[in-house]
Amino acid sequence: MAADFLGWGTGYHMIAQEFVSWSRGIKTAILVENNKTITFLNPEDYDYSSVYAKQLLYAEQMHAVYLSYPHEEMEDEFEEWIKDVDFLEPPIANHIDWSKGKDSKSYPLLYRKMCEILFPELQETTEFDGYNLKQLRQFYALFFLNFYFIRWIEAVLDSKSGANLSFGSNPLYLSITQFYKLASTITGLTQDVAKAIILDLTFNPNNFHTSVTIQPFVLSSSGTYYILPNLFSQLEPSRMILGALNKGSKKKVYDKLINLIEKFNLNELHNTVNGVGSWTCYLEKVIKFDGKQIHPDLILIDATEKCICVIDYKHFIGPITASEVDYKMNELKKGAIQVQNYIEILKTLNKIGLINTDGFSVKGLLITHKPMPIPVSNEINIPITDMTTFIQNVIDVNGRSKGINELMQLITAIEKLANVFTAFEAEMPVGEWKVIRSQHKITPSNDN
């Protein structure tokens, strides 16, 4: 019954996303009443291989972050913690000393890692209405540590006993008061602070576009919290927290902080390109023309190659719902048009600052915070890359004493993909009807 329900829920989620995509004009739908089918078709003129390649790139970047956690220290401690578990008396949660994590040698290491992941652009005293950033990092690090312990035990037991074992998947189900008290025990925070964070991470069924991947604590109408430690320990923390703040009552708080976050990352991008080779770099320089003015985020000038690169930075978080994909598609299009306008204006100028730019070629670029695995229309001819990839490309170019042209070639080069993405149709039964949707499977390249 549980498997059937899970299958139904997954299918419903997929159909809901297809419907939203159709309602936003991203996809078309064909309804054939005679054979009772609804087919959702992807729009033409989009490079879907690029979409899936960016999904893999995002996963690779997040996996690299995950591997940087203090796994060795945690597993050393878990070897001691597991001795307290009575395997004849499930569930695991009944045998855990939830206060242990605070005094573990892993916690300070994990907390420092969270300082690099959760809002590294902000001061730890930054307030989120009910808790500050230091407390949020503390909450996540200690929840992760304890929940990863449960996941680790499950993996050990599964490897020894297979899937059919008495401990199962060990969900937690607690009353509201019990959960607040447990959170305080785990984190050492007051119950009021723990409650404020929990409320932001509590699934809101009234928001159609939320997800348990950003609000993983589920509160039933009867007042019981359901938590899956295995799920929580696998969620990417920055995406979860950002998504939760954007979906909940804290959106106004986040909106006030976004300018600080963007400014911090833009300065990091400027520091990366400043002083590279013969480049001259301008940060948010005001360019005046015909009584008007523009101020692109970055302007790179390579006097040796007589080349200009104008850049705008967008602090986008990766989409997880169809509505977010639609929004990001429109925002990237607007960003590309803005950069194209910058290009046309800079082409008419013969001087930027003290540099004579008459006859210089002008290129444009959009940089997002993370890889954006969304369809980009072939009408957009402005290259789009992510911050990590851009910084690495600049390092590579500088190491070879190359210029802006080489940098843009690295970014825009259509390299042979390590994987091939093949489209196929998937069918989902819905009563007497069938819903057909396009999906892609990954097959290794012949050159691998």
Side-chain angles (χ1 to χ4, degrees), residues 10 25 41 87 141 152 160 182 198 228 238 300 351 381 430:
T10 302
L41 300 174
F87 292 105
W152 185 77
K160 293 180 178 179
L182 175 65
I198 288 171
L228 293 175
S238 63
L300 312 183
K351 193 174 186 181
N381 55 12
V430 183

Side-chain angles (χ1 to χ4, degrees), residues 309-312 339 364-367 382-385 390 408 411:
C309 182
V310 58
I311 300 172
D312 254 16
V339 171
L365 180 65
L366 269 177
I367 300 178
I382 300 297
I384 302 172
T385 190
F390 176 79
M408 295 303 293
I411 292 170

Side-chain angles (χ1 to χ4, degrees), residues 324-367:
E324 290 180 355
V325 169
D326 177 55
Y327 174 76
K328 295 298 192 305
M329 288 172 67
N330 292 328
E331 289 300 301
L332 283 181
K333 185 175 182 179
K334 287 193 291 187
I337 291 172
Q338 184 180 49
V339 171
Q340 188 61 52
N341 289 337
Y342 291 159
I343 291 173
E344 298 306 318
I345 292 167
L346 294 180
K347 282 181 178 179
T348 66
L349 304 179
N350 55 25
K351 193 174 186 181
I352 298 177
L354 300 176
I355 302 175
N356 184 344
T357 58
D358 188 31
F360 279 39
S361 64
V362 185
K363 305 176 187 294
L365 180 65
L366 269 177
I367 300 178

